[in-house]
Amino acid sequence: MAKISKPGERPRKVVESPDAKGLAKKAKGEKIDIDEEDPLAEIKSLQKEEISTEAIPVSELKKAKYEKQIPGEFDFDAFDSKGFGEGYSKDKRAEMEQMYSGTVTSVNSGEVVKGVVVGINDRDVILNIGFKSDGLVPLAEFKEMTNLKIGDAVDLFIEEREDAMGQLVLSRRKAKLVKGWEYVQTALDKDEVIEGFVKRRTKGGLIVDVFGIEAFLPGSQIDVKPIRDFDIYVNKSIEVKVVKINYTNDNVVVSHKVLIEKDLEQQKAVILTNLEKGQVLEGVIKNMTNFGVFIDLGGVDGLLHITDISWGRINHPEEVLKLDQTVKVVVLDFDGDKKRISLGMKQLTPHPWDALPTEIQVGSKVKGKIVNVADYGAFLELQPGVEGLIHVSEMSWSQHLRNPQDFMKVGDEVEAVVLTLDRDERKMSLGIKQLTEDPWTRQDVLSKYAVGTKHKGIVRNLTNFGLFIELEEGIDGLVHVSDLSWTKKIKHPSEFVKVGETMEVQVLELDASNRRLALSHKHMEENPWDTFETIFTIGSVHKCTIISKNDKGAVLELPYGIEGFCAAKNLAKEDNSKTEVGESLDFKVLEFSKDDRRIVLSHKAIWSAEEEKPVAGGVAKKKPAPAKGNTIQSINQQSEKSTLGDLEALSALKEKMSGGSGDAKAE
């Protein structure tokens, strides 16, 4: 075995140094080259020699670190007390660090790094990121890169530097997400326009892929006008701007409308600057309402009122227009700030009144369609834009005005007569009753409705003074409230009849020139007061029922359904009790007037012997003497108050009885 010794010293045995990494490498079977520049080269060479088990001081071994070694010898003075591998000069260390840094990259988990494709197979893509080992990424994560080839550089996300199998775990998908969020944030900060791909439709909007992130595009942010079909944007690219980011919910909101608004602002400024009345513009119908449509003029909205759509009458704009339809309109008016623009479309065509045939004159017959029915009449359209009013009074010869809907409805084809015509004012009044003969001018009116003739009619109207009955179309008559009944006093016709009921009447008076007809219902029967005059004679007694009472007296119901009156003082009963409504008592007739149909009665006169005072309107008569039986009954009632022991009272009673008998005999 060869021995290495320093000149002048005795040979020493080499022992294994725990700090010698070379020995560990030899144990692994690795080859070690001897280099004169390497301070450990001498130690490495010893590994080829047989190592003695004799111990050598470590301090002597370290001296060889800085001494130039002679081949075959070991420099023990090259070592110092700084430790293994720390004796390099600054220049040497910098040179070695530069060489090392160029071969191996230091990476950390969770970072995004650049990788180079070094291999592709059926399942994975092999990538080199400059680390001590390469990584594998599933080929499915590169499906959008159809032309992937070796040498392409891609972004990769380091999930793990080394897993349980010692492999470097990379992800292309996560790298895209991390980079995507960075790009999205940058786009928001710098207000940049980015391009996205509409993947699908969702509730209230669209899902747009921007930088691999699914962003939400609300329906209200797609366009400045309402979008009714979102499907037309699916699977198409669209330019958007990021308007909101919520990292908590991983939510990104984008807008396409803001891009359009900027362009529209420029167009709007141009339109408003050159806006004038009478200017013809082209626009797109943006929205429809029952009163008109809103038209987009290229950044400025204008209102086209329903009355300015067509010269003819329409009930809703959708009858002639459609959404998203391009139309030409004329500017009718706009306010000072030019924010509200009134538009017209019918003004672009000639007015129909200008083309109205000259043959149409007052008195001529015309045909048309009913386009509107109001409370006061109906409008007949002769041609689109030309209408005439048929007033309700011109629909029938009847004096009683009715609802126009009783005669016609919208859509009816009607023939009418022109009553008035003003081409300058573009107004026309029409009538339909003129198509038939005026019933008051017929020759048979005087004979048909002569005084005393009887007819049937329908009650059309009630008033305080009477009611109107329609005997036929155009022939109305008045029945006064006093001519409804012979026996009852009617304050209002509603107490006797209702509107729409049929009533029999007799003609009392006829005035054909003034179209007046006086009628009576009570004259359908004979006047019962001629008979009542013989029944309800003054002084006669009848059973009556109290109908109502007040401070002045009571209204009584007499036989045969007639009514009479009793003053309050004549309602007194014999037992001083009060009379009540509904109570039936005997009453004596005090007064009867056939002309006034008035009967005055009294209940007090039945039991009281007091002479009644003459009644106004009646004949003053002396009341008849009381009957004998009544006088005796009165005396008996008074005698019950006396006692047999009262002789004076008994004597007076005898004198009265004898006096009463004498009177009775005298009669």
Short mmCIF file of all heavy atoms in Angstrom, two decimals, residues 613-658:
data_model
loop_
_atom_site.label_atom_id
_atom_site.label_comp_id
_atom_site.label_asym_id
_atom_site.label_seq_id
_atom_site.Cartn_x
_atom_site.Cartn_y
_atom_site.Cartn_z
N LYS A 613 -166.54 72.01 13.71
CA LYS A 613 -166.51 73.30 13.04
C LYS A 613 -166.57 73.11 11.53
O LYS A 613 -166.15 72.08 11.02
CB LYS A 613 -165.24 74.06 13.42
CG LYS A 613 -165.18 74.43 14.88
CD LYS A 613 -163.91 75.20 15.17
CE LYS A 613 -163.83 75.60 16.65
NZ LYS A 613 -162.59 76.35 16.94
N PRO A 614 -167.07 74.09 10.85
CA PRO A 614 -167.12 73.99 9.39
C PRO A 614 -165.71 73.80 8.83
O PRO A 614 -164.74 74.39 9.30
CB PRO A 614 -167.74 75.32 8.95
CG PRO A 614 -168.48 75.79 10.15
CD PRO A 614 -167.71 75.33 11.35
N VAL A 615 -165.59 72.98 7.79
CA VAL A 615 -164.29 72.67 7.18
C VAL A 615 -164.13 73.50 5.92
O VAL A 615 -165.08 73.65 5.15
CB VAL A 615 -164.20 71.16 6.86
CG1 VAL A 615 -162.86 70.84 6.26
CG2 VAL A 615 -164.44 70.35 8.11
N ALA A 616 -162.94 74.04 5.76
CA ALA A 616 -162.67 74.83 4.57
C ALA A 616 -162.85 73.99 3.33
O ALA A 616 -162.34 72.87 3.25
CB ALA A 616 -161.25 75.40 4.62
N GLY A 617 -163.57 74.54 2.36
CA GLY A 617 -163.81 73.80 1.13
C GLY A 617 -165.04 72.93 1.21
O GLY A 617 -165.50 72.38 0.23
N GLY A 618 -165.62 72.77 2.41
CA GLY A 618 -166.81 71.94 2.57
C GLY A 618 -168.02 72.80 2.91
O GLY A 618 -167.97 74.02 2.96
N VAL A 619 -169.13 72.19 3.21
CA VAL A 619 -170.37 72.89 3.57
C VAL A 619 -170.58 72.78 5.06
O VAL A 619 -170.55 71.68 5.61
CB VAL A 619 -171.58 72.28 2.82
CG1 VAL A 619 -172.84 73.02 3.19
CG2 VAL A 619 -171.34 72.34 1.32
N ALA A 620 -170.78 73.94 5.73
CA ALA A 620 -170.99 73.92 7.19
C ALA A 620 -172.35 73.36 7.51
O ALA A 620 -173.36 73.86 7.02
CB ALA A 620 -170.85 75.35 7.76
N LYS A 621 -172.35 72.35 8.24
CA LYS A 621 -173.61 71.69 8.60
C LYS A 621 -173.68 71.50 10.11
O LYS A 621 -172.66 71.25 10.74
CB LYS A 621 -173.73 70.32 7.91
CG LYS A 621 -173.79 70.42 6.40
CD LYS A 621 -173.95 69.04 5.78
CE LYS A 621 -174.01 69.12 4.26
NZ LYS A 621 -174.15 67.79 3.65
N LYS A 622 -174.93 71.59 10.63
CA LYS A 622 -175.12 71.35 12.05
C LYS A 622 -175.06 69.87 12.30
O LYS A 622 -175.65 69.08 11.57
CB LYS A 622 -176.48 71.90 12.51
CG LYS A 622 -176.71 71.76 13.99
CD LYS A 622 -178.03 72.39 14.39
CE LYS A 622 -178.24 72.26 15.88
NZ LYS A 622 -179.54 72.87 16.31
N LYS A 623 -174.33 69.54 13.28
CA LYS A 623 -174.17 68.14 13.58
C LYS A 623 -175.48 67.58 14.11
O LYS A 623 -176.17 68.23 14.88
CB LYS A 623 -173.06 67.94 14.60
CG LYS A 623 -171.70 68.34 14.05
CD LYS A 623 -170.60 68.04 15.05
CE LYS A 623 -169.26 68.43 14.48
NZ LYS A 623 -168.16 68.17 15.41
N PRO A 624 -175.81 66.43 13.71
CA PRO A 624 -177.06 65.82 14.19
C PRO A 624 -177.00 65.56 15.68
O PRO A 624 -175.92 65.38 16.25
CB PRO A 624 -177.14 64.53 13.39
CG PRO A 624 -175.72 64.22 13.01
CD PRO A 624 -175.05 65.54 12.83
N ALA A 625 -178.26 65.60 16.31
CA ALA A 625 -178.33 65.37 17.77
C ALA A 625 -177.94 63.94 18.05
O ALA A 625 -178.19 63.05 17.25
CB ALA A 625 -179.75 65.65 18.27
N PRO A 626 -177.34 63.75 19.18
CA PRO A 626 -176.92 62.39 19.51
C PRO A 626 -178.11 61.48 19.69
O PRO A 626 -179.18 61.91 20.12
CB PRO A 626 -176.14 62.57 20.81
CG PRO A 626 -176.64 63.84 21.38
CD PRO A 626 -177.02 64.72 20.23
N ALA A 627 -177.96 60.27 19.35
CA ALA A 627 -179.02 59.27 19.49
C ALA A 627 -179.31 59.01 20.95
O ALA A 627 -178.49 59.27 21.82
CB ALA A 627 -178.61 57.98 18.79
N LYS A 628 -180.59 58.50 21.13
CA LYS A 628 -181.04 58.26 22.49
C LYS A 628 -180.17 57.24 23.20
O LYS A 628 -179.80 57.40 24.35
CB LYS A 628 -182.49 57.78 22.48
CG LYS A 628 -183.06 57.51 23.85
CD LYS A 628 -184.50 57.09 23.74
CE LYS A 628 -185.09 56.79 25.12
NZ LYS A 628 -186.51 56.36 25.04
N GLY A 629 -179.85 56.23 22.50
CA GLY A 629 -179.03 55.19 23.13
C GLY A 629 -177.70 55.72 23.59
O GLY A 629 -177.21 55.37 24.65
N ASN A 630 -177.15 56.60 22.79
CA ASN A 630 -175.84 57.16 23.15
C ASN A 630 -175.96 58.04 24.39
O ASN A 630 -175.07 58.08 25.24
CB ASN A 630 -175.27 57.96 21.99
CG ASN A 630 -174.92 57.05 20.80
OD1 ASN A 630 -174.76 55.85 21.00
ND2 ASN A 630 -174.85 57.63 19.62
N THR A 631 -177.07 58.79 24.47
CA THR A 631 -177.24 59.67 25.63
C THR A 631 -177.40 58.86 26.91
O THR A 631 -176.81 59.20 27.95
CB THR A 631 -178.47 60.55 25.43
OG1 THR A 631 -178.34 61.26 24.20
CG2 THR A 631 -178.62 61.55 26.57
N ILE A 632 -178.17 57.81 26.81
CA ILE A 632 -178.35 56.97 27.99
C ILE A 632 -177.04 56.34 28.40
O ILE A 632 -176.71 56.28 29.59
CB ILE A 632 -179.41 55.88 27.71
CG1 ILE A 632 -180.77 56.55 27.48
CG2 ILE A 632 -179.49 54.90 28.86
CD1 ILE A 632 -181.86 55.58 27.06
N GLN A 633 -176.29 55.93 27.44
CA GLN A 633 -175.00 55.30 27.77
C GLN A 633 -174.08 56.30 28.44
O GLN A 633 -173.38 55.97 29.39
CB GLN A 633 -174.34 54.76 26.49
CG GLN A 633 -173.03 54.02 26.75
CD GLN A 633 -172.43 53.51 25.46
OE1 GLN A 633 -172.96 53.77 24.38
NE2 GLN A 633 -171.33 52.80 25.59
N SER A 634 -174.14 57.55 27.97
CA SER A 634 -173.30 58.58 28.59
C SER A 634 -173.74 58.84 30.03
O SER A 634 -172.92 59.02 30.92
CB SER A 634 -173.37 59.87 27.77
OG SER A 634 -172.64 60.88 28.39
N ILE A 635 -175.10 58.86 30.22
CA ILE A 635 -175.59 59.11 31.59
C ILE A 635 -175.20 57.96 32.50
O ILE A 635 -174.83 58.17 33.66
CB ILE A 635 -177.11 59.31 31.56
CG1 ILE A 635 -177.44 60.60 30.80
CG2 ILE A 635 -177.69 59.39 32.96
CD1 ILE A 635 -178.94 60.80 30.57
N ASN A 636 -175.33 56.76 32.02
CA ASN A 636 -174.96 55.60 32.84
C ASN A 636 -173.50 55.65 33.26
O ASN A 636 -173.14 55.29 34.38
CB ASN A 636 -175.26 54.32 32.09
CG ASN A 636 -176.76 54.08 31.93
OD1 ASN A 636 -177.54 54.61 32.74
ND2 ASN A 636 -177.15 53.32 30.93
N GLN A 637 -172.64 56.11 32.32
CA GLN A 637 -171.22 56.20 32.67
C GLN A 637 -170.99 57.22 33.77
O GLN A 637 -170.17 57.04 34.65
CB GLN A 637 -170.41 56.58 31.42
CG GLN A 637 -170.37 55.47 30.38
CD GLN A 637 -169.61 55.90 29.14
OE1 GLN A 637 -169.21 57.05 29.05
NE2 GLN A 637 -169.43 54.97 28.22
N GLN A 638 -171.77 58.32 33.72
CA GLN A 638 -171.60 59.33 34.75
C GLN A 638 -172.21 58.88 36.08
O GLN A 638 -171.74 59.24 37.14
CB GLN A 638 -172.26 60.64 34.30
CG GLN A 638 -171.59 61.27 33.09
CD GLN A 638 -172.26 62.55 32.66
OE1 GLN A 638 -173.14 63.07 33.38
NE2 GLN A 638 -171.87 63.08 31.51
N SER A 639 -173.30 58.05 36.00
CA SER A 639 -173.95 57.62 37.23
C SER A 639 -173.10 56.65 38.01
O SER A 639 -173.28 56.49 39.21
CB SER A 639 -175.30 56.98 36.90
OG SER A 639 -175.11 55.79 36.15
N GLU A 640 -172.19 55.98 37.35
CA GLU A 640 -171.34 55.03 38.06
C GLU A 640 -170.43 55.73 39.04
O GLU A 640 -169.96 55.14 40.00
CB GLU A 640 -170.51 54.24 37.05
CG GLU A 640 -171.34 53.29 36.20
CD GLU A 640 -170.52 52.55 35.19
OE1 GLU A 640 -169.30 52.82 35.13
OE2 GLU A 640 -171.06 51.73 34.46
N LYS A 641 -170.24 57.03 38.83
CA LYS A 641 -169.37 57.77 39.72
C LYS A 641 -170.11 58.18 41.02
O LYS A 641 -169.49 58.55 42.01
CB LYS A 641 -168.85 59.02 39.03
CG LYS A 641 -168.03 58.70 37.78
CD LYS A 641 -167.54 59.96 37.12
CE LYS A 641 -166.76 59.67 35.87
NZ LYS A 641 -166.28 60.88 35.17
N SER A 642 -171.48 58.15 41.03
CA SER A 642 -172.26 58.54 42.22
C SER A 642 -172.51 57.33 43.10
O SER A 642 -172.41 56.19 42.66
CB SER A 642 -173.61 59.15 41.79
OG SER A 642 -173.39 60.25 40.92
N THR A 643 -172.90 57.62 44.31
CA THR A 643 -173.21 56.55 45.27
C THR A 643 -174.68 56.65 45.65
O THR A 643 -175.31 57.73 45.55
CB THR A 643 -172.34 56.69 46.54
OG1 THR A 643 -172.61 57.95 47.14
CG2 THR A 643 -170.86 56.57 46.19
N LEU A 644 -175.24 55.50 46.09
CA LEU A 644 -176.66 55.48 46.47
C LEU A 644 -176.91 56.35 47.70
O LEU A 644 -178.03 56.82 47.93
CB LEU A 644 -177.11 54.05 46.73
CG LEU A 644 -177.09 53.14 45.48
CD1 LEU A 644 -177.48 51.72 45.89
CD2 LEU A 644 -178.03 53.67 44.42
N GLY A 645 -175.93 56.58 48.49
CA GLY A 645 -176.09 57.39 49.70
C GLY A 645 -176.14 58.87 49.40
O GLY A 645 -176.51 59.68 50.25
N ASP A 646 -175.73 59.26 48.14
CA ASP A 646 -175.72 60.67 47.76
C ASP A 646 -177.09 61.00 47.17
O ASP A 646 -177.34 60.76 45.98
CB ASP A 646 -174.61 60.92 46.76
CG ASP A 646 -174.39 62.41 46.54
OD1 ASP A 646 -175.20 63.20 47.04
OD2 ASP A 646 -173.39 62.76 45.85
N LEU A 647 -178.00 61.50 47.97
CA LEU A 647 -179.37 61.74 47.52
C LEU A 647 -179.44 62.85 46.49
O LEU A 647 -180.24 62.80 45.55
CB LEU A 647 -180.24 62.08 48.74
CG LEU A 647 -180.35 60.96 49.80
CD1 LEU A 647 -181.19 61.44 50.99
CD2 LEU A 647 -180.96 59.72 49.19
N GLU A 648 -178.63 63.86 46.66
CA GLU A 648 -178.66 64.96 45.69
C GLU A 648 -178.22 64.49 44.31
O GLU A 648 -178.81 64.87 43.30
CB GLU A 648 -177.72 66.09 46.17
CG GLU A 648 -178.20 66.76 47.44
CD GLU A 648 -177.28 67.87 47.88
OE1 GLU A 648 -176.25 68.09 47.16
OE2 GLU A 648 -177.56 68.51 48.88
N ALA A 649 -177.25 63.64 44.30
CA ALA A 649 -176.77 63.12 43.01
C ALA A 649 -177.84 62.25 42.38
O ALA A 649 -178.08 62.29 41.18
CB ALA A 649 -175.48 62.33 43.22
N LEU A 650 -178.53 61.47 43.21
CA LEU A 650 -179.57 60.59 42.67
C LEU A 650 -180.74 61.41 42.13
O LEU A 650 -181.31 61.09 41.08
CB LEU A 650 -180.07 59.65 43.78
CG LEU A 650 -181.14 58.64 43.37
CD1 LEU A 650 -180.64 57.75 42.24
CD2 LEU A 650 -181.56 57.81 44.58
N SER A 651 -181.09 62.48 42.82
CA SER A 651 -182.17 63.35 42.37
C SER A 651 -181.82 63.99 41.03
O SER A 651 -182.64 64.09 40.12
CB SER A 651 -182.46 64.43 43.43
OG SER A 651 -183.46 65.30 42.95
N ALA A 652 -180.61 64.42 40.92
CA ALA A 652 -180.16 65.04 39.65
C ALA A 652 -180.19 64.04 38.52
O ALA A 652 -180.52 64.35 37.37
CB ALA A 652 -178.75 65.61 39.82
N LEU A 653 -179.89 62.81 38.83
CA LEU A 653 -179.88 61.77 37.80
C LEU A 653 -181.29 61.53 37.27
O LEU A 653 -181.50 61.37 36.06
CB LEU A 653 -179.31 60.48 38.39
CG LEU A 653 -179.28 59.26 37.44
CD1 LEU A 653 -178.46 59.55 36.20
CD2 LEU A 653 -178.73 58.04 38.19
N LYS A 654 -182.28 61.53 38.19
CA LYS A 654 -183.67 61.32 37.77
C LYS A 654 -184.15 62.44 36.86
O LYS A 654 -184.84 62.23 35.88
CB LYS A 654 -184.57 61.21 38.99
CG LYS A 654 -184.38 59.94 39.79
CD LYS A 654 -185.31 59.91 40.99
CE LYS A 654 -185.13 58.62 41.81
NZ LYS A 654 -186.03 58.55 42.99
N GLU A 655 -183.75 63.67 37.22
CA GLU A 655 -184.17 64.80 36.40
C GLU A 655 -183.56 64.72 34.98
O GLU A 655 -184.24 65.00 33.99
CB GLU A 655 -183.74 66.12 37.07
CG GLU A 655 -184.50 66.40 38.36
CD GLU A 655 -184.05 67.69 39.02
OE1 GLU A 655 -183.14 68.35 38.44
OE2 GLU A 655 -184.57 68.03 40.08
N LYS A 656 -182.34 64.29 34.92
CA LYS A 656 -181.69 64.17 33.60
C LYS A 656 -182.34 63.09 32.77
O LYS A 656 -182.54 63.23 31.57
CB LYS A 656 -180.19 63.86 33.78
CG LYS A 656 -179.39 65.03 34.27
CD LYS A 656 -177.91 64.66 34.33
CE LYS A 656 -177.08 65.86 34.78
NZ LYS A 656 -175.65 65.55 34.84
N MET A 657 -182.69 61.99 33.43
CA MET A 657 -183.30 60.89 32.69
C MET A 657 -184.67 61.29 32.17
O MET A 657 -185.04 60.97 31.04
CB MET A 657 -183.44 59.66 33.59
CG MET A 657 -182.10 59.03 33.94
SD MET A 657 -182.26 57.59 35.01
CE MET A 657 -183.13 56.48 33.93
N SER A 658 -185.41 62.02 33.03
CA SER A 658 -186.73 62.47 32.58
C SER A 658 -186.60 63.50 31.46
O SER A 658 -187.37 63.51 30.50
CB SER A 658 -187.51 63.06 33.76
OG SER A 658 -186.81 64.18 34.29
#
